[in-house]
Amino acid sequence: MPDLRGALGWRYREHVVPALDLHGSLPLFIARKLRNRRLLGRSNVVYLYAGRGNAGDYLSHLGVRSIVGLPGLELLAGQPGNRELSKALVGSRFRARYRVLVIGGGGLFQECFGEFWQVILASGLPYAIVGVGANRLGDQRSITDAGLLETIVRRAAFIYVRDTMTRETIAKCGVREEVPVGLCPATSALFPGHWREESRSGNVLLHVVHPSDLRMAHGDLDRARESARAIARELELSYVEEDNMSADVEAVLKRYRTARVVLSSRLHGCIISYATGIPFVPLRCDEKIEAFLHTHCPAIKAVEIEALHRREALRDVIRATLNASTSDNRDYLEREVRRNTERGEWIRRQIMTKAWQAAS
């Protein structure tokens, strides 16, 4: 039996972390625990993702679950989820069945998830990595240690990543095989069902904020709000703010559906907008937004944070964005979402074949 506690270093005793991640909703937490208990003796799949209380991360998980198409347990990466994960992976009932870990999406190739990956590797279980990305923001956020990242990628039974920056980062670690790149799996949860035709445009300027990233990128959120509100008034739009930090994904998407334009310092604010046909202005805080744009929609350029503090410059960008067409994205979305579906089908076939062989 793998010593997952040893792999983790069990450093939770040294740091104060929450004992449980309740996802901001006790009923949802209980529902996930009960579903896991029910599926423990029935499912061969364990879905792992960054967090239930972040709508972007959860949409990524929903996309992964959609393309793989198999029921599975849900466990979370990072603290405090590592504690539940390490306990689950050594359980006798868990080990009684053939299991595959399906990991993604989210920015899991960050140093803060190093302990999570150590637990995964120590378990010895096969795993697939679906649409995971790297991220870096100055000295505040860094990418997974190169040696660990190389091991993670080499031991994966299947992998595709969400942007070329992540692929290039992996190549620098010494992995010579080119890793496939595809759209974030959140798009598979959104397109085409949530695609909005231009005739149904909303009446809101939706400001999707990432307060900590804005602060680390030397942005002033109060000044940004003031500028965005003034521009909304000029454009005869209502100003609404969203941070995506909610377990109620439907409520979050409902706010996006009211948007005429989205101003976002969050990656998934951009991805949700892109996948639903809403014009959006991406704000460059860290490297992942730039990586998404460069890989999947190079015609859209990120706006420097300083533009938030200059009302006229920001207004000009928003006006230009409103005048641009979003329909050009649709063909690319259809093709890439279909490609992700094909990847999911391959994973599903492999799991079902190996599970049948293990049971024989």
Side-chain angles (χ1 to χ4, degrees):
M1 188 70 66
D3 181 9
L4 300 185
R5 294 192 176 201
L8 190 60
W10 215 241
R11 283 182 274 174
Y12 295 107
R13 294 175 182 173
E14 303 171 13
H15 302 284
V16 177
V17 296
L20 294 172
D21 177 1
L22 297 179
H23 321 323
S25 168
L26 182 58
L28 287 177
F29 171 80
I30 294 171
R32 181 178 70 85
K33 299 288 278 190
L34 291 175
R35 185 168 59 251
N36 282 354
R37 181 177 296 181
R38 185 177 72 252
L39 290 172
L40 186 59
R42 305 178 185 177
S43 175
N44 301 101
V45 183
V46 183
Y47 294 104
L48 291 153
Y49 57 100
R52 179 66 176 87
N54 181 314
D57 289 333
Y58 189 59
L59 280 167
S60 297
H61 159 68
L62 291 179
V64 173
R65 200 166 73 190
S66 171
I67 64 174
V68 174
L70 293 172
L73 287 72
E74 291 180 32
L75 294 171
L76 306 178
Q79 298 181 13
N82 289 339
R83 189 180 306 171
E84 179 188 15
L85 172 63
S86 60
K87 182 179 178 181
L89 297 190
V90 298
S92 57
R93 288 190 65 200
F94 184 92
R95 289 276 168 174
R97 289 181 69 90
Y98 173 78
R99 309 280 183 182
V100 174
L101 310 179
V102 180
I103 304 170
L108 295 176
F109 289 153
Q110 293 183 74
E111 189 177 34
C112 60
F113 290 104
E115 292 175 341
F116 161 75
W117 288 111
Q118 294 286 2
V119 172
I120 298 302
L121 294 172
S123 76
L125 293 169
Y127 59 89
I129 298 173
V130 185
V132 166
N135 188 27
R136 182 167 41 216
L137 199 169
D139 297 329
Q140 290 85 11
R141 289 209 180 112
S142 56
I143 293 171
T144 302
D145 171 78
L148 176 58
L149 183 56
E150 180 185 9
T151 302
I152 292 165
V153 173
R154 289 194 184 282
R155 286 183 52 179
F158 174 89
I159 182 171
Y160 90 84
V161 296
R162 69 187 182 190
D163 54 58
T164 53
M165 180 191 78
T166 303
R167 179 170 66 187
E168 290 162 4
T169 299
I170 291 170
K172 290 176 183 177
C173 294
V175 178
R176 302 184 67 177
E177 301 83 1
E178 188 168 85
V179 173
V181 172
L183 273 173
C184 171
T187 54
S188 296
L190 295 165
F191 183 86
H194 291 269
W195 181 265
R196 191 184 70 184
E197 298 299 335
E198 202 152 337
S199 60
R200 297 170 55 197
S201 296
N203 63 347
V204 164
L205 189 161
L206 184 65
H207 186 192
V208 182
V209 298
H210 199 312
S212 62
D213 279 18
L214 277 171
R215 183 175 62 254
M216 288 188 286
H218 309 295
D220 186 322
L221 183 53
D222 290 334
R223 289 177 66 187
R225 286 171 172 149
E226 182 182 347
S227 294
R229 283 194 180 101
I231 294 166
R233 287 194 296 269
E234 288 182 40
L235 298 175
E236 299 182 335
L237 299 173
S238 299
Y239 175 85
V240 175
E241 202 165 288
E242 172 62 55
D243 64 4
N244 284 0
M245 297 305 293
S246 171
D248 190 346
V249 174
E250 286 305 316
V252 172
L253 292 178
K254 184 176 180 180
R255 286 188 282 277
Y256 277 86
R257 285 194 289 270
T258 68
R260 177 69 183 90
V261 63
V262 169
L263 176 67
S264 182
S265 52
R266 282 191 175 274
L267 172 62
H268 279 97
C270 300
I271 290 173
I272 293 170
S273 303
Y274 183 72
T276 56
I278 301 171
F280 67 98
V281 176
L283 299 168
R284 183 189 287 110
C285 288
D286 54 21
E287 296 186 23
K288 64 186 177 185
I289 286 181
E290 187 74 22
F292 165 69
L293 299 174
H294 175 76
T295 306
H296 301 293
C297 40
I300 301 174
K301 303 301 179 185
V303 175
E304 299 294 340
I305 293 301
E306 290 75 15
L308 285 171
H309 309 149
R310 295 181 284 112
R311 187 178 304 173
E312 289 187 3
L314 184 60
R315 181 189 60 211
D316 290 345
V317 171
I318 290 175
R319 285 186 181 277
T321 300
L322 285 169
N323 291 330
S325 172
T326 59
S327 60
D328 295 342
N329 303 338
R330 183 158 187 149
D331 288 346
Y332 181 81
L333 273 165
E334 286 180 344
R335 183 173 70 251
E336 290 301 310
V337 168
R338 184 168 60 250
R339 186 170 295 171
N340 282 354
T341 299
E342 292 167 356
R343 290 168 172 142
E345 289 172 350
W346 186 91
I347 294 171
R348 180 171 65 252
R349 287 196 301 271
Q350 294 299 310
I351 292 172
M352 294 175 69
T353 299
K354 297 290 178 59
W356 181 83
Q357 291 171 348
S360 299

